[in-house]
Amino acid sequence: MAKNEATSSQLLHLVIGGELRHLDAPVFRDLSQVEFVGAYGSYDEAKQAWKARAQATVDNAHMRFFILHAHKMIDPRGDTSQA
């Protein structure tokens, strides 16, 4: 696969989570305990990982997992074609 093909089809998504202080705000109770679930090349892959991890912690109401669109943080203007 050519470099441009790999870059254009990969949108980096990170899945993280942990225990929140309160249910009404995404503020973690202890940042040292935030769990890095993984990095994924598509939203669908990230969603599968998020869902599996969220379901595994369903007994703890304060546990929350999030999908971060890292590709937007890396290239907020969307000009990756200039790389």
Side-chain angles (χ1 to χ4, degrees), residues 40-60:
Y40 304 91
S42 73
Y43 179 78
D44 289 337
E45 290 174 296
K47 187 175 178 183
Q48 286 180 334
W50 164 83
K51 186 175 182 179
R53 194 65 192 108
Q55 287 177 339
T57 60
V58 72
D59 290 337
N60 183 345

Side-chain angles (χ1 to χ4, degrees), residues 8 14 16-17 19-20 25 27-28 33 35 37-38 42 47-49 51 57 60 62-63 65 69-70 76 83:
S8 65
L14 306 176
I16 66 165
E19 199 165 5
L20 301 180
V27 178
F28 293 107
Q33 297 297 311
E35 179 183 343
V37 177
S42 73
K47 187 175 178 183
Q48 286 180 334
K51 186 175 182 179
T57 60
N60 183 345
H62 283 86
M63 287 295 285
F65 289 86
H69 299 269

